[in-house]
């Protein structure tokens, strides 16, 4: 067999392979979901508002004192619901909680690593989808975890244990995301066959639910129904002519008619950077599909420098806007590389005609690295992708990259004043603030007066 | 985001990409489908940023994702027997099917990056420089991986694959 025959055998071996029916729709749904998650990550890092990158969702600007107060209430309220006296079921639900919590998506971020005390049942009852229980437990979110800084400290984990219609077994089918809890959010769950059972937890405020998204001109709008709680929860069947994925709940007065997240459901594209108000929460089936089947295989959380959406340009780069720059970058840096990438970048047009774009990237749980695109000219006809090494956000001048073939140094430390010199006894030259393109023979840089040697 | 354009691309090109993914996953159809779905879903939010033909871009993404996927999960991948079935004595249609199956099985035993090089080179007909760019390595690495990969395949298949003839490069 020669290489031509190898080619033929490979083609023959794959002849007739087709994706399953509906594959394009599946991909489209997944893509939309990922875009939503990604935006939440962006929002968390750029706006320092919402927290975790997950499929589920919820809510608005955070009020920590109110949240702690609500958490305390959940831990002290007596169990309610028509199964509150069914100790066998309560014990079963608690066992499921202990078994499954480590598989929840938010476990990725370390929120459930340190569980304090015993879990308890907030509510237990019969629903149209079978027996169900809301379980809560005190947790402590440590600094070493991947949690957002604002979420660190004592928190309350909450989730729904009920029947998974796929196999009839009792499971943890959804959790209330700690990183997204807000005063106006309603703890609610969509579960059971086709996720058509809506359960909203009552904390004493007016409760509302909304099945559908309408449209007035270019604006997505909602109409809301006032809900009447019983035994601490509201149970609603989502009608067959409504999509559970668009059903939302709200606690408090005056639910918003316009929700930025709805534009993700029916378009147009891109509600950001409008501040989030209320998001539509994911369904139980979505939660189950995204469970961590191996708790050690945690989802990725970005650990990039929090430098926002900054662009520093040096030399003589071609005029281009953010979209054009991203297009050039995106064409040449494979998707896997920019699983996460910084919004900031440094762009340099060198005197020899080369174009350099530097970003910070992170693949999986790896340490973030500098990834640098060096093209032979401004039109990017020949491009090298260069690994610029790991980024240690704790060091002074975390970005130091020497451009190959004498192109100079790119250095950056946002907010800091920079100067440099090219010999040990040479004169210091001002290099401005934040970032700089320095001569290739630079030996030292000062960062707010602190000297750093380049080597 | 031109969603219609994205959907149209997936509808028409998913089969071709699935075949590449199938080989990158060493003949595991389920894994190939998951891999392709994963890469396409990741590409969706970036679709409008991809100028030019998206297919080479996605093939590169598939190869990288496959390599990382197997790297991350290697501890859970069970050993696969190399060649566990003797071929029929006489060539014929059945023999051909067995040979194709043997090639895919042999591919499966190769390290993921080496497998990616062979698939991109001999299935997708990509040039060495293109593969180097896709896998973010030098053309020298592509040459050596091709050479070693073919040698390994030859060993596994107990066949006489000739030594590869590399492209001429100016570097």
């Amino acid at each position: 067999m020669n290489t031509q025959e190898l080619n033929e055998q490979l083609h023959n071996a794959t002849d007739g392979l087709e994706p399953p029916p509906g594959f394009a729709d599946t991909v489209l749904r997944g893509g939309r979901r990922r875009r939503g998650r990604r935006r939440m990550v962006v929002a968390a890092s750029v706006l320092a508002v919402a927290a975790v990158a997950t499929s589920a969702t919820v809510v608005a600007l955070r009020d920590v004192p109110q949240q702690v107060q609500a958490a305390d209430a959940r831990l002290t309220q007596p169990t309610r619901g028509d199964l509150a006296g069914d100790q066998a079921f309560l014990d079963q639900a608690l066992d499921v909680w202990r078994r499954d919590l480590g598989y929840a998506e938010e476990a990725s971020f370390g929120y459930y690593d340190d569980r304090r005390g015993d879990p308890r049942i907030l509510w237990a009852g019969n629903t149209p989808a079978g027996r169900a229980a809301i379980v809560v437990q005190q947790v402590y979110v440590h600094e070493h975890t991947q949690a957002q800084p604002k979420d660190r400290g004592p928190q309350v984990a909450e989730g729904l244990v009920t029947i998974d219609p796929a196999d009839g077994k009792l499971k943890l089918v959804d959790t209330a995301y700690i990183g997204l809890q807000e005063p106006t959010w309603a703890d609610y769950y969509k579960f059971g066959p086709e996720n058509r059972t809506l359960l909203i937890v009552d904390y004493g405020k007016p409760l509302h639910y909304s099945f559908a998204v309408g449209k007035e001109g270019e604006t997505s709008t909602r109409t809301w129904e006032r809900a009447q709680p019983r035994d601490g929860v509201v149970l609603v069947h989502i009608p067959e002519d409504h999509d559970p994925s668009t059903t939302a709940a709200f606690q408090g007065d005056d639910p918003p008619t316009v929700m930025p997240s709805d534009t993700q459901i029916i378009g147009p594209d891109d509600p950001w950077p409008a501040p989030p108000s209320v998001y539509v929460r994911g369904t139980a089936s979505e939660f189950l599909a995204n469970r961590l089947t191996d708790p050690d295989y945690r989802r990725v959380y970005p650990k990039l420098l929090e430098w926002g959406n900054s662009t520093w340009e040096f030399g003589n780069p071609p005029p281009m806007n953010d979209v054009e720059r991203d297009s050039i970058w995106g064409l040449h840096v494979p998707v896997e590389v920019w699983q996460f990438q910084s919004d900031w970048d440094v762009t340099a047009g060198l005197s020899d005609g080369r174009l350099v774009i530097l970003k910070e990237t992170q693949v999986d749980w790896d340490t973030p690295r500098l990834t640098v695109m060096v093209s032979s000219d401004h039109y990017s006809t020949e491009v090298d992708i260069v690994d610029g090494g790991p980024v240690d956000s704790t060091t002074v001048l975390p970005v130091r990259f020497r451009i190959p073939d004498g192109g100079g140094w790119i250095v950056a430390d946002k907010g800091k004043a920079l100067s440099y010199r090219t010999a040990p006894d040479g004169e210091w030259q001002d290099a401005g603030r934040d970032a700089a393109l320095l001569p290739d023979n630079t030996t030292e840089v000062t960062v707010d007066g602190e000297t750093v040697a380049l080597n | 985001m031109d969603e219609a354009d994205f959907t149209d691309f997936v509808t028409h090109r998913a089969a071709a990409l699935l075949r590449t993914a199938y080989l990158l996953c060493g003949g595991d159809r389920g894994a190939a489908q998951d891999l392709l779905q994963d890469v396409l879903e990741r590409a969706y939010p970036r679709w409008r940023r991809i100028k030019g033909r998206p297919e080479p871009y996605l093939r590169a993404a598939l190869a990288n994702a496959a390599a990382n996927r197997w790297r991350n999960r290697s501890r859970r991948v069970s050993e696969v027997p190399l060649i566990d079935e003797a071929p029929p004595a006489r060539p014929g249609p059945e023999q051909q099917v067995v040979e194709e199956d043997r090639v895919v099985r042999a591919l499966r035993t190769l390290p993921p990056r080496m497998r990616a090089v062979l698939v991109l080179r001999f299935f997708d007909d990509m040039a060495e420089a293109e593969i180097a760019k896709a896998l973010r390595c030098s053309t020298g690495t592509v040459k050596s991986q091709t050479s070693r990969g073919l040698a390994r395949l030859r060993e596994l298949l107990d066949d006489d694959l000739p030594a590869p003839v590399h492209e001429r490069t100016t570097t």
Side-chain angles (χ1 to χ4, degrees), chain A residues 1 7 9 12 18 32 34 294 330-331 336-337 364, chain B residues 3 29 38 41-42 51 57 68 72 76 103 122 136 161:
Chain A
M1 183 171 68
N7 176 284
Q9 288 201 4
N12 290 339
E18 295 286 343
R32 285 174 180 155
R34 280 170 191 262
D294 179 347
L331 266 178
E336 190 65 19
V337 169
D364 298 332
Chain B
E3 200 163 280
R29 183 173 178 159
D38 185 56
E41 285 180 2
R42 286 185 196 186
K51 290 185 176 174
Y57 173 85
N68 283 326
N72 292 333
R76 294 198 292 276
V103 171
F122 298 112
R136 304 193 306 282
L161 280 170

PDB file of all heavy atoms in Angstrom, chain A residues 1 7 9 12 18 32 34 294 330-331 336-337 364, chain B residues 3 29 38 41-42 51 57 68 72 76 103 122 136 161:
ATOM      1  N   MET A   1       0.847  -1.198   0.000  1.00  0.00           N
ATOM      2  CA  MET A   1       0.000   0.000   0.000  1.00  0.00           C
ATOM      3  C   MET A   1       0.885   1.253   0.000  1.00  0.00           C
ATOM      4  O   MET A   1       1.740   1.397   0.866  1.00  0.00           O
ATOM      5  CB  MET A   1      -0.887   0.006   1.253  1.00  0.00           C
ATOM      6  CG  MET A   1      -1.834   1.186   1.291  1.00  0.00           C
ATOM      7  SD  MET A   1      -3.061   1.054   2.618  1.00  0.00           S
ATOM      8  CE  MET A   1      -2.036   1.243   4.063  1.00  0.00           C
ATOM      9  N   ASN A   7      -4.591   7.093   1.128  1.00  0.00           N
ATOM     10  CA  ASN A   7      -5.599   8.130   0.918  1.00  0.00           C
ATOM     11  C   ASN A   7      -6.941   7.508   0.527  1.00  0.00           C
ATOM     12  O   ASN A   7      -7.996   7.852   1.070  1.00  0.00           O
ATOM     13  CB  ASN A   7      -5.100   9.088  -0.175  1.00  0.00           C
ATOM     14  CG  ASN A   7      -6.131  10.146  -0.525  1.00  0.00           C
ATOM     15  OD1 ASN A   7      -7.104   9.853  -1.207  1.00  0.00           O
ATOM     16  ND2 ASN A   7      -5.922  11.367  -0.059  1.00  0.00           N
ATOM     17  N   GLN A   9      -7.987   4.448   1.036  1.00  0.00           N
ATOM     18  CA  GLN A   9      -8.569   3.648   2.119  1.00  0.00           C
ATOM     19  C   GLN A   9      -9.207   4.538   3.187  1.00  0.00           C
ATOM     20  O   GLN A   9     -10.259   4.206   3.740  1.00  0.00           O
ATOM     21  CB  GLN A   9      -7.495   2.765   2.756  1.00  0.00           C
ATOM     22  CG  GLN A   9      -7.098   1.618   1.838  1.00  0.00           C
ATOM     23  CD  GLN A   9      -6.443   0.475   2.594  1.00  0.00           C
ATOM     24  OE1 GLN A   9      -6.352   0.509   3.816  1.00  0.00           O
ATOM     25  NE2 GLN A   9      -6.012  -0.529   1.865  1.00  0.00           N
ATOM     26  N   ASN A  12     -12.431   5.632   1.686  1.00  0.00           N
ATOM     27  CA  ASN A  12     -13.404   4.541   1.662  1.00  0.00           C
ATOM     28  C   ASN A  12     -13.943   4.248   3.068  1.00  0.00           C
ATOM     29  O   ASN A  12     -15.120   3.928   3.242  1.00  0.00           O
ATOM     30  CB  ASN A  12     -12.758   3.268   1.099  1.00  0.00           C
ATOM     31  CG  ASN A  12     -12.482   3.399  -0.393  1.00  0.00           C
ATOM     32  OD1 ASN A  12     -13.100   4.224  -1.070  1.00  0.00           O
ATOM     33  ND2 ASN A  12     -11.544   2.608  -0.898  1.00  0.00           N
ATOM     34  N   GLU A  18     -22.552  10.194   7.846  1.00  0.00           N
ATOM     35  CA  GLU A  18     -23.387  11.397   7.819  1.00  0.00           C
ATOM     36  C   GLU A  18     -23.740  11.781   9.254  1.00  0.00           C
ATOM     37  O   GLU A  18     -23.896  10.918  10.113  1.00  0.00           O
ATOM     38  CB  GLU A  18     -24.698  11.127   7.057  1.00  0.00           C
ATOM     39  CG  GLU A  18     -24.521  10.823   5.574  1.00  0.00           C
ATOM     40  CD  GLU A  18     -24.189  12.052   4.750  1.00  0.00           C
ATOM     41  OE1 GLU A  18     -24.410  13.161   5.259  1.00  0.00           O
ATOM     42  OE2 GLU A  18     -23.686  11.879   3.614  1.00  0.00           O
ATOM     43  N   ARG A  32     -25.856  28.838  20.508  1.00  0.00           N
ATOM     44  CA  ARG A  32     -26.535  29.952  21.188  1.00  0.00           C
ATOM     45  C   ARG A  32     -26.300  29.872  22.693  1.00  0.00           C
ATOM     46  O   ARG A  32     -26.071  30.882  23.353  1.00  0.00           O
ATOM     47  CB  ARG A  32     -28.036  29.885  20.919  1.00  0.00           C
ATOM     48  CG  ARG A  32     -28.441  30.314  19.525  1.00  0.00           C
ATOM     49  CD  ARG A  32     -29.907  30.049  19.360  1.00  0.00           C
ATOM     50  NE  ARG A  32     -30.400  30.431  18.057  1.00  0.00           N
ATOM     51  CZ  ARG A  32     -31.475  29.896  17.497  1.00  0.00           C
ATOM     52  NH1 ARG A  32     -32.135  28.945  18.117  1.00  0.00           N
ATOM     53  NH2 ARG A  32     -31.881  30.293  16.316  1.00  0.00           N
ATOM     54  N   ARG A  34     -23.798  28.467  24.242  1.00  0.00           N
ATOM     55  CA  ARG A  34     -22.411  28.819  24.546  1.00  0.00           C
ATOM     56  C   ARG A  34     -22.198  30.325  24.457  1.00  0.00           C
ATOM     57  O   ARG A  34     -21.450  30.901  25.230  1.00  0.00           O
ATOM     58  CB  ARG A  34     -21.462  28.118  23.579  1.00  0.00           C
ATOM     59  CG  ARG A  34     -21.201  26.691  23.946  1.00  0.00           C
ATOM     60  CD  ARG A  34     -20.472  26.000  22.831  1.00  0.00           C
ATOM     61  NE  ARG A  34     -20.433  24.575  23.052  1.00  0.00           N
ATOM     62  CZ  ARG A  34     -19.396  23.941  23.575  1.00  0.00           C
ATOM     63  NH1 ARG A  34     -18.329  24.605  23.905  1.00  0.00           N
ATOM     64  NH2 ARG A  34     -19.423  22.648  23.758  1.00  0.00           N
ATOM     65  N   ASP A 294     -17.472  13.565  35.552  1.00  0.00           N
ATOM     66  CA  ASP A 294     -16.313  13.296  36.386  1.00  0.00           C
ATOM     67  C   ASP A 294     -15.990  14.597  37.120  1.00  0.00           C
ATOM     68  O   ASP A 294     -15.595  15.580  36.505  1.00  0.00           O
ATOM     69  CB  ASP A 294     -15.119  12.883  35.504  1.00  0.00           C
ATOM     70  CG  ASP A 294     -13.883  12.612  36.339  1.00  0.00           C
ATOM     71  OD1 ASP A 294     -13.893  12.972  37.537  1.00  0.00           O
ATOM     72  OD2 ASP A 294     -12.924  12.053  35.794  1.00  0.00           O
ATOM     73  N   GLY A 330      -8.692  36.054  14.498  1.00  0.00           N
ATOM     74  CA  GLY A 330      -9.524  34.854  14.458  1.00  0.00           C
ATOM     75  C   GLY A 330      -9.232  33.955  13.281  1.00  0.00           C
ATOM     76  O   GLY A 330      -9.399  32.738  13.345  1.00  0.00           O
ATOM     77  N   LEU A 331      -8.792  34.538  12.193  1.00  0.00           N
ATOM     78  CA  LEU A 331      -8.469  33.739  11.009  1.00  0.00           C
ATOM     79  C   LEU A 331      -7.273  32.844  11.261  1.00  0.00           C
ATOM     80  O   LEU A 331      -7.162  31.764  10.704  1.00  0.00           O
ATOM     81  CB  LEU A 331      -8.136  34.666   9.836  1.00  0.00           C
ATOM     82  CG  LEU A 331      -9.278  35.008   8.908  1.00  0.00           C
ATOM     83  CD1 LEU A 331      -8.785  35.959   7.832  1.00  0.00           C
ATOM     84  CD2 LEU A 331      -9.845  33.756   8.265  1.00  0.00           C
ATOM     85  N   GLU A 336      -9.303  26.357  19.369  1.00  0.00           N
ATOM     86  CA  GLU A 336      -8.920  25.764  20.638  1.00  0.00           C
ATOM     87  C   GLU A 336      -8.028  26.705  21.438  1.00  0.00           C
ATOM     88  O   GLU A 336      -8.058  26.704  22.652  1.00  0.00           O
ATOM     89  CB  GLU A 336      -8.198  24.437  20.386  1.00  0.00           C
ATOM     90  CG  GLU A 336      -7.967  23.622  21.631  1.00  0.00           C
ATOM     91  CD  GLU A 336      -9.258  23.135  22.273  1.00  0.00           C
ATOM     92  OE1 GLU A 336     -10.281  23.127  21.576  1.00  0.00           O
ATOM     93  OE2 GLU A 336      -9.235  22.780  23.450  1.00  0.00           O
ATOM     94  N   VAL A 337      -7.249  27.501  20.734  1.00  0.00           N
ATOM     95  CA  VAL A 337      -6.362  28.422  21.430  1.00  0.00           C
ATOM     96  C   VAL A 337      -7.154  29.508  22.138  1.00  0.00           C
ATOM     97  O   VAL A 337      -6.888  29.844  23.272  1.00  0.00           O
ATOM     98  CB  VAL A 337      -5.369  29.054  20.442  1.00  0.00           C
ATOM     99  CG1 VAL A 337      -4.626  30.196  21.107  1.00  0.00           C
ATOM    100  CG2 VAL A 337      -4.393  28.017  19.968  1.00  0.00           C
ATOM    101  N   ASP A 364      -8.283  25.287  28.524  1.00  0.00           N
ATOM    102  CA  ASP A 364      -8.641  24.438  29.655  1.00  0.00           C
ATOM    103  C   ASP A 364      -8.252  25.117  30.973  1.00  0.00           C
ATOM    104  O   ASP A 364      -8.391  26.309  31.121  1.00  0.00           O
ATOM    105  CB  ASP A 364      -7.979  23.059  29.527  1.00  0.00           C
ATOM    106  CG  ASP A 364      -8.457  22.330  28.282  1.00  0.00           C
ATOM    107  OD1 ASP A 364      -9.589  22.595  27.855  1.00  0.00           O
ATOM    108  OD2 ASP A 364      -7.708  21.531  27.738  1.00  0.00           O
TER     109      ASP A 364
ATOM    110  N   GLU B   3     -26.785  33.989  11.072  1.00  0.00           N
ATOM    111  CA  GLU B   3     -27.159  32.650  11.530  1.00  0.00           C
ATOM    112  C   GLU B   3     -27.530  31.738  10.364  1.00  0.00           C
ATOM    113  O   GLU B   3     -27.234  30.541  10.371  1.00  0.00           O
ATOM    114  CB  GLU B   3     -28.324  32.781  12.509  1.00  0.00           C
ATOM    115  CG  GLU B   3     -28.503  31.583  13.392  1.00  0.00           C
ATOM    116  CD  GLU B   3     -29.380  31.922  14.580  1.00  0.00           C
ATOM    117  OE1 GLU B   3     -28.872  32.512  15.532  1.00  0.00           O
ATOM    118  OE2 GLU B   3     -30.571  31.596  14.532  1.00  0.00           O
ATOM    119  N   ARG B  29     -17.129   6.812  16.163  1.00  0.00           N
ATOM    120  CA  ARG B  29     -18.121   7.676  15.528  1.00  0.00           C
ATOM    121  C   ARG B  29     -18.807   8.608  16.536  1.00  0.00           C
ATOM    122  O   ARG B  29     -19.030   9.781  16.264  1.00  0.00           O
ATOM    123  CB  ARG B  29     -19.169   6.821  14.819  1.00  0.00           C
ATOM    124  CG  ARG B  29     -20.173   7.648  14.078  1.00  0.00           C
ATOM    125  CD  ARG B  29     -21.098   6.812  13.253  1.00  0.00           C
ATOM    126  NE  ARG B  29     -22.061   7.682  12.600  1.00  0.00           N
ATOM    127  CZ  ARG B  29     -22.740   7.359  11.551  1.00  0.00           C
ATOM    128  NH1 ARG B  29     -22.575   6.183  10.998  1.00  0.00           N
ATOM    129  NH2 ARG B  29     -23.608   8.186  11.013  1.00  0.00           N
ATOM    130  N   ASP B  38     -18.940  20.034  19.255  1.00  0.00           N
ATOM    131  CA  ASP B  38     -18.247  20.935  20.175  1.00  0.00           C
ATOM    132  C   ASP B  38     -17.559  22.070  19.415  1.00  0.00           C
ATOM    133  O   ASP B  38     -17.692  23.251  19.752  1.00  0.00           O
ATOM    134  CB  ASP B  38     -17.226  20.124  20.981  1.00  0.00           C
ATOM    135  CG  ASP B  38     -16.554  20.963  22.056  1.00  0.00           C
ATOM    136  OD1 ASP B  38     -17.269  21.533  22.874  1.00  0.00           O
ATOM    137  OD2 ASP B  38     -15.312  21.043  22.047  1.00  0.00           O
ATOM    138  N   GLU B  41     -20.083  24.406  17.742  1.00  0.00           N
ATOM    139  CA  GLU B  41     -20.739  25.276  18.731  1.00  0.00           C
ATOM    140  C   GLU B  41     -19.805  26.403  19.166  1.00  0.00           C
ATOM    141  O   GLU B  41     -20.217  27.528  19.390  1.00  0.00           O
ATOM    142  CB  GLU B  41     -21.178  24.460  19.943  1.00  0.00           C
ATOM    143  CG  GLU B  41     -22.408  23.604  19.666  1.00  0.00           C
ATOM    144  CD  GLU B  41     -22.835  22.790  20.878  1.00  0.00           C
ATOM    145  OE1 GLU B  41     -22.197  22.925  21.934  1.00  0.00           O
ATOM    146  OE2 GLU B  41     -23.802  22.027  20.759  1.00  0.00           O
ATOM    147  N   ARG B  42     -18.533  26.074  19.292  1.00  0.00           N
ATOM    148  CA  ARG B  42     -17.580  27.116  19.669  1.00  0.00           C
ATOM    149  C   ARG B  42     -17.392  28.125  18.535  1.00  0.00           C
ATOM    150  O   ARG B  42     -17.124  29.298  18.769  1.00  0.00           O
ATOM    151  CB  ARG B  42     -16.222  26.504  19.983  1.00  0.00           C
ATOM    152  CG  ARG B  42     -16.175  25.788  21.283  1.00  0.00           C
ATOM    153  CD  ARG B  42     -14.767  25.343  21.518  1.00  0.00           C
ATOM    154  NE  ARG B  42     -14.708  24.321  22.558  1.00  0.00           N
ATOM    155  CZ  ARG B  42     -13.590  23.839  23.032  1.00  0.00           C
ATOM    156  NH1 ARG B  42     -12.444  24.257  22.569  1.00  0.00           N
ATOM    157  NH2 ARG B  42     -13.593  22.917  23.958  1.00  0.00           N
ATOM    158  N   LYS B  51     -13.269  35.377   8.237  1.00  0.00           N
ATOM    159  CA  LYS B  51     -13.354  35.849   6.856  1.00  0.00           C
ATOM    160  C   LYS B  51     -12.707  34.811   5.956  1.00  0.00           C
ATOM    161  O   LYS B  51     -11.800  34.100   6.355  1.00  0.00           O
ATOM    162  CB  LYS B  51     -12.664  37.197   6.720  1.00  0.00           C
ATOM    163  CG  LYS B  51     -13.448  38.308   7.415  1.00  0.00           C
ATOM    164  CD  LYS B  51     -12.828  39.666   7.166  1.00  0.00           C
ATOM    165  CE  LYS B  51     -13.700  40.751   7.802  1.00  0.00           C
ATOM    166  NZ  LYS B  51     -13.074  42.077   7.716  1.00  0.00           N
ATOM    167  N   TYR B  57     -10.300  26.571   8.459  1.00  0.00           N
ATOM    168  CA  TYR B  57     -10.256  27.048   9.841  1.00  0.00           C
ATOM    169  C   TYR B  57     -10.842  26.001  10.787  1.00  0.00           C
ATOM    170  O   TYR B  57     -10.277  25.676  11.844  1.00  0.00           O
ATOM    171  CB  TYR B  57     -11.047  28.347   9.882  1.00  0.00           C
ATOM    172  CG  TYR B  57     -11.282  28.942  11.242  1.00  0.00           C
ATOM    173  CD1 TYR B  57     -10.339  29.765  11.827  1.00  0.00           C
ATOM    174  CD2 TYR B  57     -12.473  28.715  11.905  1.00  0.00           C
ATOM    175  CE1 TYR B  57     -10.567  30.335  13.061  1.00  0.00           C
ATOM    176  CE2 TYR B  57     -12.721  29.273  13.139  1.00  0.00           C
ATOM    177  CZ  TYR B  57     -11.770  30.092  13.717  1.00  0.00           C
ATOM    178  OH  TYR B  57     -12.003  30.641  14.930  1.00  0.00           O
ATOM    179  N   ASN B  68      -6.257  17.936  22.031  1.00  0.00           N
ATOM    180  CA  ASN B  68      -6.454  18.308  23.426  1.00  0.00           C
ATOM    181  C   ASN B  68      -7.444  17.398  24.124  1.00  0.00           C
ATOM    182  O   ASN B  68      -7.294  17.071  25.283  1.00  0.00           O
ATOM    183  CB  ASN B  68      -6.930  19.756  23.512  1.00  0.00           C
ATOM    184  CG  ASN B  68      -5.790  20.709  23.287  1.00  0.00           C
ATOM    185  OD1 ASN B  68      -4.656  20.423  23.668  1.00  0.00           O
ATOM    186  ND2 ASN B  68      -6.073  21.807  22.633  1.00  0.00           N
ATOM    187  N   ASN B  72      -6.490  15.372  27.409  1.00  0.00           N
ATOM    188  CA  ASN B  72      -7.157  15.557  28.689  1.00  0.00           C
ATOM    189  C   ASN B  72      -7.800  14.289  29.204  1.00  0.00           C
ATOM    190  O   ASN B  72      -7.926  14.077  30.393  1.00  0.00           O
ATOM    191  CB  ASN B  72      -8.234  16.633  28.557  1.00  0.00           C
ATOM    192  CG  ASN B  72      -7.623  17.992  28.335  1.00  0.00           C
ATOM    193  OD1 ASN B  72      -6.495  18.219  28.750  1.00  0.00           O
ATOM    194  ND2 ASN B  72      -8.334  18.861  27.665  1.00  0.00           N
ATOM    195  N   ARG B  76      -8.601   8.097  30.871  1.00  0.00           N
ATOM    196  CA  ARG B  76      -9.823   7.306  30.889  1.00  0.00           C
ATOM    197  C   ARG B  76     -10.012   6.502  29.604  1.00  0.00           C
ATOM    198  O   ARG B  76     -11.026   5.859  29.430  1.00  0.00           O
ATOM    199  CB  ARG B  76     -11.029   8.209  31.114  1.00  0.00           C
ATOM    200  CG  ARG B  76     -11.043   8.850  32.473  1.00  0.00           C
ATOM    201  CD  ARG B  76     -12.414   9.353  32.810  1.00  0.00           C
ATOM    202  NE  ARG B  76     -12.791  10.464  31.956  1.00  0.00           N
ATOM    203  CZ  ARG B  76     -12.436  11.715  32.196  1.00  0.00           C
ATOM    204  NH1 ARG B  76     -11.691  12.005  33.222  1.00  0.00           N
ATOM    205  NH2 ARG B  76     -12.832  12.671  31.392  1.00  0.00           N
ATOM    206  N   VAL B 103      -6.842   0.026   8.811  1.00  0.00           N
ATOM    207  CA  VAL B 103      -6.168   1.330   8.770  1.00  0.00           C
ATOM    208  C   VAL B 103      -6.715   2.248   9.864  1.00  0.00           C
ATOM    209  O   VAL B 103      -5.956   2.909  10.571  1.00  0.00           O
ATOM    210  CB  VAL B 103      -6.336   1.985   7.377  1.00  0.00           C
ATOM    211  CG1 VAL B 103      -5.845   3.419   7.405  1.00  0.00           C
ATOM    212  CG2 VAL B 103      -5.592   1.194   6.328  1.00  0.00           C
ATOM    213  N   PHE B 122      -2.994  13.057   4.575  1.00  0.00           N
ATOM    214  CA  PHE B 122      -3.377  12.021   3.609  1.00  0.00           C
ATOM    215  C   PHE B 122      -4.878  11.858   3.428  1.00  0.00           C
ATOM    216  O   PHE B 122      -5.314  11.133   2.544  1.00  0.00           O
ATOM    217  CB  PHE B 122      -2.748  10.677   4.008  1.00  0.00           C
ATOM    218  CG  PHE B 122      -1.252  10.727   3.995  1.00  0.00           C
ATOM    219  CD1 PHE B 122      -0.528  10.640   5.157  1.00  0.00           C
ATOM    220  CD2 PHE B 122      -0.560  10.906   2.791  1.00  0.00           C
ATOM    221  CE1 PHE B 122       0.857  10.714   5.147  1.00  0.00           C
ATOM    222  CE2 PHE B 122       0.822  10.987   2.771  1.00  0.00           C
ATOM    223  CZ  PHE B 122       1.542  10.897   3.950  1.00  0.00           C
ATOM    224  N   ARG B 136       0.032  24.545  14.922  1.00  0.00           N
ATOM    225  CA  ARG B 136       0.942  25.467  15.606  1.00  0.00           C
ATOM    226  C   ARG B 136       2.274  24.790  15.926  1.00  0.00           C
ATOM    227  O   ARG B 136       2.713  24.724  17.075  1.00  0.00           O
ATOM    228  CB  ARG B 136       0.293  26.017  16.881  1.00  0.00           C
ATOM    229  CG  ARG B 136      -1.028  26.694  16.632  1.00  0.00           C
ATOM    230  CD  ARG B 136      -1.477  27.492  17.822  1.00  0.00           C
ATOM    231  NE  ARG B 136      -1.514  26.744  19.051  1.00  0.00           N
ATOM    232  CZ  ARG B 136      -2.475  25.891  19.381  1.00  0.00           C
ATOM    233  NH1 ARG B 136      -3.470  25.684  18.535  1.00  0.00           N
ATOM    234  NH2 ARG B 136      -2.441  25.269  20.531  1.00  0.00           N
ATOM    235  N   LEU B 161       4.356   0.326   3.232  1.00  0.00           N
ATOM    236  CA  LEU B 161       4.184   1.737   2.895  1.00  0.00           C
ATOM    237  C   LEU B 161       5.543   2.350   2.596  1.00  0.00           C
ATOM    238  O   LEU B 161       6.466   2.202   3.391  1.00  0.00           O
ATOM    239  CB  LEU B 161       3.566   2.488   4.088  1.00  0.00           C
ATOM    240  CG  LEU B 161       2.065   2.362   4.278  1.00  0.00           C
ATOM    241  CD1 LEU B 161       1.689   2.954   5.630  1.00  0.00           C
ATOM    242  CD2 LEU B 161       1.326   3.065   3.186  1.00  0.00           C
TER     243      LEU B 161
END
